[in-house]
Amino acid sequence: MKVVRLSILNFRGIKSATLHFKSHTLLVGMNNAGKSTVCEALELALGLDRLKRSPPVEEFDFFNARYLDKSVEPPVPIPIEIEVVLADLHEELANKCFDRLERWHTVENRLLSEGDLGLADSPGVVECLRIKTVASYVVEEDEFEAKSFFCNPPPESGRSPAEVPRYIRQLFGFFYLRALRTGSRALSLERGSLLDIILQRRKIRTGIWENAIEQLRNLEPPIDEGAVNLVPILENIEKRLGQYIPLTGEGRATNLFVSQLMREHLRKTVSFFLRTSESETPIPFQKAGTGTLNTLVFALLSLIADLRKDTVIFAMEEPEIALPPHTQRRIANYLLTSVRQCFVTSHSPYVIERFQPDQIQILRKSPDSVLTSTQLTTGTTLKGKTYRKHARSGLAEAMLGRGVIICEGITEKDIVLAVAERMEEANPERCYPLDLSGVSVLSVNGDGSLPEFGAFFSALQIRTYAFFDHKVRSSTETEKLTNSFHHLHETTYAGSELMLVAEVPSRKLFEFLVLLKDSGEKPDLPLPASADLVDEVKALAMSILKKDKGSGYAGRLIGLCDHDELPSSVTTLLNTVYGEFKKPAPVPPLDPPETEVVPAGETTVVPSADAAGEELV
């Protein structure tokens, strides 16, 4: 069973959205793009216990917190609507919902209509189940409610649509693991916790609470009162109570128990203990490290998945939090191989690289809060082999941003980053840091690779800039570059070393050479007699930069330059970038606190570093 379409209306930060999915899906995008909201929408529609919450939604679950249209009289509720189309249904769900099924065209990503009866048995057409969850404000009760309905067949005139019963929701097998938020109760035995779900599915929960209550009630004594000399205190309390309330019957009237001996209290009290090393005493799971806690939660989720293979859909938010890279990869591999479908949000290259390009969707919100997705594709722009080679080294970061500067080699990348750092230090008001702007700098394998990378990122609606050396190109090569980038910046030099030697002052080149010699990196370097021998200085600097290309020397040379000494070929490019990704408007200062007027003859006390509590008239 898979989710093939999700439609969202008026939910949280999303005014509207229609997203299509083929199989496993990695949702990426900048912060506040709507990744978590998509997972929350899936849970509202498919989660077993979400609708049982009281209330199932709250004021700010509605877009702009507008749940009531007050422009009309009487006011009319504005609902949240979430529609999910499920295809590739497993046999049990298909059999129990046989009279609700429709047909889904997997190639055209649409439902078949009455005019498509001839396509019902065509290749690529499968059975599907469509359900809709509607959440709204009930004016008469001053409360929020949410219900799920079958969309097919449509209700008869004057009748409400049929609700999806709980036993059908159980068959959806949807589980949502939130980042750092599930662990607080996942390993407890509260209703709906992961451990409670496992006990339900294994049918071993019956009688557990009755047995526990009976054992706790029969503890004798309930708490070892004598060991801590509690008996005199309890007896004294009983005597004092007896002065106001008649305490009848044999024996003690007061006792201490380890719980309230009620099922709901026990659910909140019973805790999962674990020991992470042989020398340690078991501790409550909440006291374990964040990484251990997250891994424990995932272990429970994997157990649930194994109980019903091929019928489980996982939504998992940022599995990389507090986990080392190898664990991130293992979790991603498990999701991709052991569950029917997964939805993952992540910023980690170790997670991103495990997904195939066609399984990755980049989410964006328009200014009017309409959510759209762009599917990552390779082949037409970027070769699959090239994608895999660069996935972790730069593609994963750049795909999550707003702009990317693509340099033809590692030396050019070092130069751009070093110049950007100096410009941002010198003019912080104008040059907003590239990383805060969401602009990445990526190096590729020569200028021949520039067009495919430019076309790849341009297709993802990411602003693209190219930085490369001058050479004679054919009209076809020039056209490919022009069509692949938003902005081209070709230097007038045949190599980055030539650019540095020509545009960096010779005295800085000399200072750089002295640094290499004095540091011991180049102890035998034959330095010119002085910085005034410009030709000798430039020739030697050129030789070092070219011989040790990719060593980081270019970036170190830039680090010695003042702002007005930076190479203009690079500052011209970066000025274009800074001009398009401007610094946000400054935050207005807080108004000064009002000075309290003290009537004559009275005093007020103000805190003082020298004399706290000093009285002022």
Side-chain angles (χ1 to χ4, degrees):
M1 182 182 69
K2 299 175 183 176
V3 176
V4 294
R5 188 176 74 185
L6 171 67
S7 300
I8 302 172
L9 188 66
N10 196 42
F11 184 49
R12 298 203 173 173
I14 300 176
K15 184 177 182 180
S16 66
T18 298
L19 307 175
H20 293 91
F21 311 106
K22 293 292 185 183
S23 59
H24 300 301
T25 301
L26 176 69
L27 301 170
V28 299
M30 299 192 69
N31 290 335
N32 208 32
K35 303 183 295 293
S36 297
T37 302
V38 169
C39 294
E40 293 278 358
L42 287 169
E43 187 196 30
L44 192 59
L46 302 176
L48 179 61
D49 293 309
R50 176 59 189 263
L51 299 188
K52 293 177 63 179
R53 294 184 190 175
S54 181
V57 295
E58 298 174 335
E59 286 84 348
F60 289 98
D61 285 323
F62 293 80
F63 177 66
N64 282 344
R66 290 191 69 237
Y67 52 87
L68 202 59
D69 183 359
K70 298 181 180 179
S71 65
V72 296
E73 188 59 43
V76 177
I78 303 173
I80 294 169
E81 296 183 14
I82 298 169
E83 183 182 286
V84 174
V85 178
L86 299 167
D88 291 342
L89 307 175
H90 57 82
E91 185 177 1
E92 186 177 5
L93 182 60
N95 288 339
K96 291 187 176 180
C97 298
F98 72 94
D99 56 341
R100 307 283 183 187
L101 301 183
E102 299 177 82
R103 294 289 189 274
W104 177 259
H105 202 303
T106 59
V107 178
E108 299 178 3
N109 285 334
R110 67 179 181 89
L111 290 163
L112 296 190
S113 61
E114 292 183 2
D116 296 320
L117 293 179
L119 299 175
D121 297 323
S122 300
V125 175
V126 297
E127 290 181 333
C128 69
L129 179 66
R130 187 163 49 112
I131 63 170
K132 177 181 283 189
T133 299
V134 179
S136 59
Y137 173 69
V138 183
V139 179
E140 296 79 5
E141 300 179 11
D142 191 22
E143 277 292 354
F144 297 99
E145 69 173 15
K147 295 180 181 180
S148 288
F149 307 96
F150 291 109
C151 295
N152 186 57
E156 297 177 7
S157 178
R159 308 186 78 176
S160 300
E163 284 194 51
V164 179
R166 180 177 171 79
Y167 74 89
I168 294 296
R169 294 182 72 88
Q170 287 178 323
L171 299 179
F172 295 156
F174 179 85
F175 301 99
Y176 178 24
L177 175 58
R178 293 168 176 80
L180 290 180
R181 287 177 277 174
T182 301
S184 62
R185 60 189 296 271
L187 289 163
S188 74
L189 281 169
E190 294 182 57
R191 293 186 186 276
S193 70
L194 298 181
L195 200 53
D196 184 54
I197 291 171
I198 291 171
L199 294 181
Q200 286 185 52
R201 298 228 164 174
R202 296 292 293 173
K203 301 183 190 260
I204 59 176
R205 197 178 64 178
T206 305
I208 182 174
W209 302 119
E210 183 61 32
N211 294 336
I213 291 173
E214 190 66 23
Q215 292 179 50
L216 292 174
R217 184 181 288 116
N218 292 333
L219 286 176
E220 190 57 48
I223 295 290
D224 193 355
E225 300 157 346
V228 292
N229 205 26
L230 286 175
V231 173
I233 295 175
L234 294 177
E235 289 179 344
N236 189 277
I237 292 173
E238 287 182 23
K239 290 178 181 178
R240 292 175 183 274
L241 281 173
Q243 294 179 356
Y244 307 98
I245 304 172
L247 302 176
T248 60
E250 297 290 331
R252 296 271 305 281
T254 58
N255 281 308
L256 296 177
F257 283 90
V258 295
S259 88
Q260 296 178 11
L261 301 184
M262 296 185 299
R263 285 165 175 75
E264 291 307 313
H265 188 259
L266 280 178
R267 283 180 176 276
K268 298 177 182 178
T269 303
V270 174
S271 185
F272 185 92
F273 276 58
L274 77 156
R275 182 175 62 193
T276 56
S277 68
E278 189 174 345
S279 61
E280 289 184 1
T281 300
I283 59 174
F285 77 94
Q286 296 98 328
K287 302 298 182 182
T290 302
T292 301
L293 177 57
N294 279 2
T295 308
L296 277 169
V297 170
F298 183 76
L300 287 183
L301 286 167
S302 64
L303 174 55
I304 293 172
D306 290 341
L307 291 175
R308 292 186 66 110
K309 279 190 175 293
D310 296 326
T311 63
V312 169
I313 300 174
F314 267 157
M316 194 170 189
E317 188 177 355
E318 298 180 8
E320 67 266 21
I321 292 181
L323 297 179
H326 67 276
T327 305
Q328 296 178 36
R329 288 193 295 269
R330 289 182 61 187
I331 288 177
N333 287 340
Y334 176 85
L335 292 171
L336 291 169
T337 58
S338 300
V339 302
R340 186 61 174 165
Q341 187 180 27
C342 69
F343 294 89
V344 179
T345 74
S346 179
H347 296 96
S348 167
Y350 302 101
V351 174
I352 294 174
E353 70 173 350
R354 308 312 294 176
F355 285 77
Q356 295 299 317
D358 60 359
Q359 295 174 328
I360 300 175
Q361 294 199 23
I362 300 179
L363 300 183
R364 291 185 179 84
K365 269 196 300 188
S366 66
D368 56 352
S369 297
V370 175
L371 182 70
T372 58
S373 69
T374 302
Q375 182 174 301
L376 204 62
T377 56
T378 60
T380 55
T381 55
L382 195 65
K383 298 182 180 66
K385 181 179 179 180
T386 306
Y387 172 83
R388 289 188 293 273
K389 179 179 179 181
H390 291 269
R392 192 188 302 173
S393 61
L395 280 178
E397 175 188 346
M399 288 188 302
L400 302 176
R402 301 167 60 205
V404 58
I405 303 171
I406 302 176
C407 305
E408 69 169 271
I410 187 64
T411 300
E412 288 77 12
K413 175 183 176 181
D414 289 344
I415 294 171
V416 168
L417 287 172
V419 172
E421 182 177 353
R422 301 297 288 129
M423 292 178 70
E424 290 161 10
E425 289 175 353
N427 192 356
E429 291 304 314
R430 180 182 183 277
C431 301
Y432 194 54
L434 296 180
D435 52 353
L436 296 181
S437 300
V439 177
S440 302
V441 183
L442 178 68
S443 65
V444 298
N445 302 322
D447 64 353
S449 300
L450 289 172
E452 61 176 328
F453 279 89
F456 175 78
F457 286 110
S458 294
L460 300 178
Q461 302 173 38
I462 294 173
R463 193 79 177 160
T464 51
Y465 306 83
F467 182 66
F468 54 99
D469 300 329
H470 172 73
K471 79 173 186 179
V472 178
R473 294 179 173 81
S474 68
S475 58
T476 301
E477 290 174 324
T478 302
E479 184 179 3
K480 285 179 66 176
L481 276 170
T482 303
N483 293 337
S484 300
F485 286 90
H486 295 100
H487 181 85
L488 295 176
H489 190 83
E490 180 181 13
T491 72
T492 58
Y493 305 93
S496 58
E497 299 82 17
L498 286 170
M499 177 193 69
L500 291 175
V501 170
E503 297 188 357
V504 172
S506 60
R507 58 188 179 81
K508 290 297 179 181
L509 296 175
F510 185 76
E511 184 180 339
F512 168 67
L513 295 172
V514 171
L515 177 66
L516 292 182
K517 184 178 179 67
D518 292 348
S519 67
E521 295 176 71
K522 301 282 184 182
D524 301 324
L525 195 64
L527 286 175
S530 74
D532 296 330
L533 301 174
V534 175
D535 291 341
E536 291 184 32
V537 169
K538 288 189 174 185
L540 183 57
M542 178 71 182
S543 173
I544 294 296
L545 291 170
K546 203 161 190 177
K547 181 180 177 181
D548 295 298
K549 192 178 182 72
S551 63
Y553 284 170
R556 290 172 65 182
L557 171 60
I558 297 298
L560 298 174
C561 298
D562 294 329
H563 181 260
D564 58 353
E565 298 170 330
L566 297 172
S568 60
S569 292
V570 187
T571 58
T572 300
L573 164 70
L574 289 174
N575 278 324
T576 300
V577 177
Y578 291 129
E580 295 185 356
F581 293 89
K582 297 179 180 180
K583 184 176 182 178
V587 178
L590 292 174
D591 294 331
E594 295 183 4
T595 303
E596 183 179 357
V597 178
V598 182
E602 295 187 11
T603 63
T604 183
V605 179
V606 297
S608 170
D610 300 322
E614 181 182 357
E615 288 192 343
L616 300 178
V617 179

